[in-house]
Amino acid sequence: DGLYTYLGALHAYYSTTFGINGPNGFGGTADWPAVPQVITRGYVHNDGSGFAPACPYGATFSPNNGSVTFCRGVVTPDVVGHEYAHSIVHHGFHDANGFPTGATYYGEAGALNEGYADVMGEIFEHTRTGAVDWKVGTSPPALSGVIPDLANPPAIIQVIGGVPYPD
């Protein structure tokens, strides 16, 4: 139920702060015609199963159907806000027919997408808790390691590859 609460609060935050009706402008995160535009799908794998290695840190936004999916224990304000922000970026770029394409998730564009999502996740954490720690996944501790530490990026080593974030 935390995910349901956070998604509603995120929708209200973006509506009040930026004047948009959900990431897609129609009240949801979904891509029409595959999924009705008013839909926002959120899933939590309570049994710990799911989608690794496609989701190594426990959460992902799926642009194909507009869903946000989380592993058990990762439904925290900053992580949910981070994934919702990826939907905002996805719906910010359109092809010639008006369908969302998102930014290229590679190189500088991918880094900007992640950076925006990191900061918006922390901003949402502040709106929910009144504090910000600049560490994704700590409200409450959700992951075996905090990923990333936005105040000191090389301080926390990634689980995959063992290189500092960012490398």
Side-chain angles (χ1 to χ4, degrees), residues 73-128:
V74 188
V75 179
T76 63
D78 49 356
V79 177
V80 177
H82 174 103
E83 295 306 327
Y84 193 87
H86 282 307
S87 181
I88 297 288
V89 172
H90 174 69
H91 288 284
F93 298 88
H94 297 89
D95 66 15
N97 297 315
F99 294 106
T101 60
T104 302
Y105 198 77
Y106 178 78
E108 290 87 357
L112 288 170
N113 187 338
E114 277 303 314
Y116 171 75
D118 286 342
V119 170
M120 292 309 293
E122 291 302 303
I123 289 171
F124 183 64
E125 177 182 49
H126 182 266
T127 67
R128 300 300 294 179

Side-chain angles (χ1 to χ4, degrees), residues 18-70:
F18 303 109
I20 61 172
N21 184 15
N24 64 13
F26 294 96
T29 58
D31 287 356
W32 181 85
V35 178
Q37 291 174 311
V38 297
I39 299 292
T40 296
R41 292 181 173 163
Y43 303 99
V44 179
H45 291 275
N46 287 318
D47 62 358
S49 70
F51 39 88
C55 181
Y57 301 124
T60 188
F61 166 69
S62 301
N64 295 338
N65 63 11
S67 67
V68 287
T69 306
F70 302 87

